[in-house]
Amino acid sequence: MHSPALSFCVGSRTSAFVVCAAFHGGGVLDDCLCDIESIDDFNTFKIFPKIQKLQERDYFRYYKVNLKRPCPFWADDGHCSIKDCHVEPCPEVRIKSYRIEKGVWAKNFNQSKEAFIDWARYDDSQDHFCELDDERSPDAQYVDLLLNPERYTGYKGPSAWRVWNSIYEENCFKPRSVYRPLNPLAPSRGESFYTWLEGLCLEKRVFYKLISGLHASINLHLCANYLLEETWGKPRWGPNVKEFTRRFDPAETKGEGPRRLKNLYFLYLIELRALSKVAPYFERAVVDLYTGNGHEDAESKALLLDIFRDTKSFHMHFDEKSMFAGDKKGAKSLKEEFRLHFKNISRIMDCVGCDKCRLWGKLQTQGLGTALKILFSEKEIQSLPENSPSKGFQLTRQEIVALVNAFGRLSTSIKELQNFKALLQQTR
């Protein structure tokens, strides 16, 4: 058991700022009994190498997404024309038919039209936390995630600002009179916001921390995979310490940076907990990660189950039973409100102007939504039959791909945080 103190204080030659240092209250996360250093070690030595391998498998590298859905909330201000915003879809001929029918992977490409309608009806009946793309839409295309990595594209300005502002100001639980210190250039009224936030019930605090953690993770990806230079048409991508400092240094962000990173760790724990809870669903012999290559499929499932064993071994999980634990009627109402707020955020992802940012925003939002669906379906998962179709709980292929890749992004964020620590130490 590690000390809860977080030794991540790094000085700079040019200023006396402290980056990612001593999170407020030390290295212990709020609303759960866990410390930062334990998560770092667990992620670095157990999770990160395996989740990277899993994401390279054919089953998990292809994600079907509709990047042409119109923004449902405001007039579309046009898609970004920056070349790095472009997403290259896969030729359909390279993609096999993947579909799950009540727990059994369909291996016949020529399934009947009636079966597809039945699957869609079943999927639509679930309590999804996300607005799902219609996979039958002609605009839905498979994307090879390995060939379209998440990185800095240059997408910024009013369009990007409006997306995050709408998420925080209109969808996080708070009255409009309470200011959210999102913009580091805005007048600092942050402490009054956090004083108010701590007065909220656990569920509403958790909701805000999940969104803030997702935002922090995405920002870390952009800092770690930044276009450093382009010579003769050959781009060089890598970590940008200056950009990392701008987004996370306490002085640059008026104290927001450490809070954002702390919420990243909180989000990691939530999705880690979901993976440990969903293990029984995949441990059944009836579930097969089908791609048509039997040997690879067996290896993929074995690796996934190995990761599940690791998640179960972690000794400081978030306790989701503490959520929605009040009177049944009030808890049910709050849970539905929680779900609808998050579902609305998933719809806002269709307002992102950069295709690559939209792709990864939709995937990571769906991954988190799937994790929440899992956490609130424990009884249904535990009662699944071993050798017959699933009843009461179902995951589509898209949800599975999103769940694994979204957690892979969080694992990468925490690993990149350690890389920035080393880079900053070199500048002392």
Side-chain angles (χ1 to χ4, degrees):
M1 177 78 176
H2 295 284
S3 166
L6 176 68
S7 44
F8 198 177
C9 300
V10 183
S12 168
R13 283 193 300 238
T14 57
S15 66
F17 68 77
V18 178
V19 177
C20 310
F23 289 103
H24 299 291
V28 178
L29 295 179
D30 301 325
D31 292 323
C32 58
L33 298 175
C34 189
D35 65 271
I36 303 292
E37 191 176 2
S38 291
I39 300 174
D40 285 340
D41 287 349
F42 177 77
N43 183 69
T44 299
F45 299 111
K46 284 202 169 185
I47 291 295
F48 181 75
K50 294 177 183 178
I51 202 78
Q52 290 289 295
K53 277 187 182 179
L54 192 64
Q55 289 175 276
E56 293 171 0
R57 297 276 176 176
D58 280 352
Y59 183 89
F60 293 101
R61 68 183 288 182
Y62 297 112
Y63 181 64
K64 196 168 189 180
V65 62
N66 184 355
L67 298 176
K68 297 181 180 179
R69 287 178 60 169
C71 173
F73 299 109
W74 54 77
D76 195 348
D77 50 9
H79 278 214
C80 178
S81 59
I82 302 172
K83 65 181 179 66
D84 292 317
C85 285
H86 178 67
V87 169
E88 190 65 41
C90 295
E92 285 298 318
V93 70
R94 292 178 56 193
I95 304 299
K96 299 180 184 294
S97 173
Y98 304 110
R99 196 67 194 192
I100 189 166
E101 193 270 332
K102 298 179 182 176
V104 182
W105 289 105
K107 303 182 181 182
N108 185 353
F109 187 85
N110 297 312
Q111 291 288 348
S112 68
K113 182 178 179 181
E114 291 75 15
F116 280 106
I117 293 173
D118 182 55
W119 294 331
R121 186 183 301 114
Y122 187 89
D123 288 346
D124 291 342
S125 71
Q126 303 295 293
D127 285 335
H128 294 294
F129 280 77
C130 291
E131 186 78 15
L132 303 181
D133 284 347
D134 181 2
E135 294 181 46
R136 294 166 295 175
S137 167
D139 290 330
Q141 295 178 297
Y142 280 100
V143 173
D144 186 336
L145 299 175
L146 297 184
L147 297 181
N148 293 276
E150 184 181 22
R151 58 192 180 193
Y152 183 78
T153 64
Y155 174 63
K156 55 186 176 181
S159 176
W161 168 256
R162 181 159 55 173
V163 169
W164 283 111
N165 193 61
S166 177
I167 289 173
Y168 281 113
E169 293 297 327
E170 299 172 18
N171 290 280
C172 286
F173 293 92
K174 70 177 190 65
R176 290 185 178 274
S177 60
V178 176
Y179 172 75
R180 159 64 176 88
L182 171 63
N183 184 353
L185 301 179
S188 179
R189 286 178 278 171
E191 288 310 313
S192 62
F193 171 83
Y194 286 105
T195 300
W196 174 85
L197 182 68
E198 290 308 311
L200 285 178
C201 67
L202 171 64
E203 292 81 4
K204 294 183 178 181
R205 290 200 308 272
V206 165
F207 190 96
Y208 169 78
K209 290 176 181 181
L210 295 180
I211 301 306
S212 174
L214 178 61
H215 195 184
S217 182
I218 290 173
N219 279 336
L220 258 169
H221 304 154
L222 307 186
C223 296
N225 212 351
Y226 201 93
L227 181 59
L228 301 177
E229 62 179 0
E230 188 165 8
T231 306
W232 302 104
K234 293 183 178 180
R236 184 170 69 89
W237 303 85
N240 186 323
V241 175
K242 184 177 180 181
E243 186 68 18
F244 173 82
T245 302
R246 185 180 74 82
R247 292 175 186 260
F248 294 108
D249 169 52
E252 295 276 349
T253 61
K254 295 180 170 56
E256 271 282 289
R259 294 182 189 272
R260 294 169 183 168
L261 293 175
K262 203 169 185 179
N263 291 334
L264 161 65
Y265 280 89
F266 184 81
L267 173 59
Y268 180 92
L269 285 181
I270 291 289
E271 295 200 14
L272 181 72
R273 181 63 163 172
L275 290 179
S276 72
K277 287 289 184 180
V278 81
Y281 179 86
F282 290 94
E283 288 168 351
R284 299 174 303 151
V286 74
V287 175
D288 180 21
L289 302 179
Y290 177 77
T291 67
N293 183 327
H295 179 70
E296 180 172 321
D297 296 347
E299 287 188 342
S300 296
K301 183 168 182 179
L303 181 55
L304 180 62
L305 295 181
D306 189 31
I307 291 172
F308 287 149
R309 283 191 288 271
D310 285 337
T311 64
K312 291 180 181 179
S313 73
F314 189 68
H315 58 285
M316 289 183 287
H317 275 293
F318 174 78
D319 182 11
E320 75 284 353
K321 290 186 177 66
S322 59
M323 296 179 64
F324 307 109
D327 68 278
K328 289 187 177 180
K329 185 176 181 180
K332 183 178 180 180
S333 175
L334 180 59
K335 180 180 176 181
E336 179 63 9
E337 191 179 5
F338 191 102
R339 186 181 72 85
L340 292 177
H341 274 240
F342 192 85
K343 192 170 185 176
N344 209 46
I345 289 175
S346 75
R347 298 175 69 204
I348 294 175
M349 291 300 143
D350 284 317
C351 300
V352 177
C354 164
D355 276 352
K356 188 166 288 182
C357 306
R358 181 184 290 208
L359 163 67
W360 285 101
K362 286 168 76 77
L363 181 145
Q364 289 172 86
T365 303
Q366 185 176 24
L368 175 53
T370 304
L372 293 173
K373 173 181 171 180
I374 291 166
L375 288 181
F376 302 141
S377 303
E378 183 176 12
K379 291 181 180 178
E380 291 80 1
I381 294 172
Q382 290 177 343
S383 62
L384 288 171
E386 173 60 35
N387 294 306
S388 60
S390 304
K391 292 182 180 180
F393 178 82
Q394 176 65 54
L395 291 179
T396 67
R397 177 183 180 274
Q398 293 302 95
E399 287 176 313
I400 296 168
V401 173
L403 176 69
V404 167
N405 279 281
F407 184 68
R409 293 278 72 204
L410 295 177
S411 178
T412 299
S413 291
I414 289 178
K415 190 70 168 60
E416 293 292 358
L417 201 51
Q418 310 314 307
N419 293 339
F420 276 113
K421 173 186 174 181
L423 289 171
L424 286 161
Q425 286 175 330
Q426 294 172 13
T427 65
R428 284 192 298 181

